[in-house]
Amino acid sequence: DLSRQSNRAGLGMLSVVVVNQATGLPGEGFFELARSLDRDFEHQEEFFNSEFELVCQKFRDIDERIPPISPHG
């Protein structure tokens, strides 16, 4: 529900920051939710990277004190 709300607000899917430690990617439920929100993509990793950057940038815009971070630690 939080990802639906953040996506609706133009902030991206906030759950993008929750990743599997082994794969470094969100679980399949994240990608299923993205598709249900009409987010169109072919490659999960590319979508994850772009969504992660979108969410980080939106929150940096809100609070410029947030330092840049990498999706892979």
Side-chain angles (χ1 to χ4, degrees), residues 8 10 19 25 30 33 45 51 55:
R8 194 174 315 125
V19 297
L25 295 171
F30 171 81
L33 177 60
E45 190 167 352
E51 192 70 8
V55 168

Side-chain angles (χ1 to χ4, degrees), residues 28 30-39 41-42 44:
E28 191 58 39
F30 171 81
F31 298 106
E32 291 171 5
L33 177 60
R35 287 185 180 96
S36 78
L37 296 172
D38 295 325
R39 305 294 298 277
F41 59 92
E42 290 184 38
Q44 289 184 345

Side-chain angles (χ1 to χ4, degrees), residues 6-7 13 16 26 29 31 37 39 42 44-46 50-51 57 59 63 65 69:
S6 63
N7 185 67
M13 295 175 59
V16 73
F31 298 106
L37 296 172
R39 305 294 298 277
E42 290 184 38
Q44 289 184 345
E45 190 167 352
E46 288 176 14
S50 65
E51 192 70 8
Q57 185 59 52
F59 281 87
D63 186 343
R65 297 173 295 176
I69 58 174

Side-chain angles (χ1 to χ4, degrees), residues 42-67:
E42 290 184 38
H43 304 285
Q44 289 184 345
E45 190 167 352
E46 288 176 14
F47 175 72
F48 162 70
N49 287 328
S50 65
E51 192 70 8
F52 187 89
E53 181 55 38
L54 171 68
V55 168
C56 289
Q57 185 59 52
K58 293 294 185 176
F59 281 87
R60 278 193 299 269
D61 290 348
I62 292 169
D63 186 343
E64 294 179 1
R65 297 173 295 176
I66 298 173

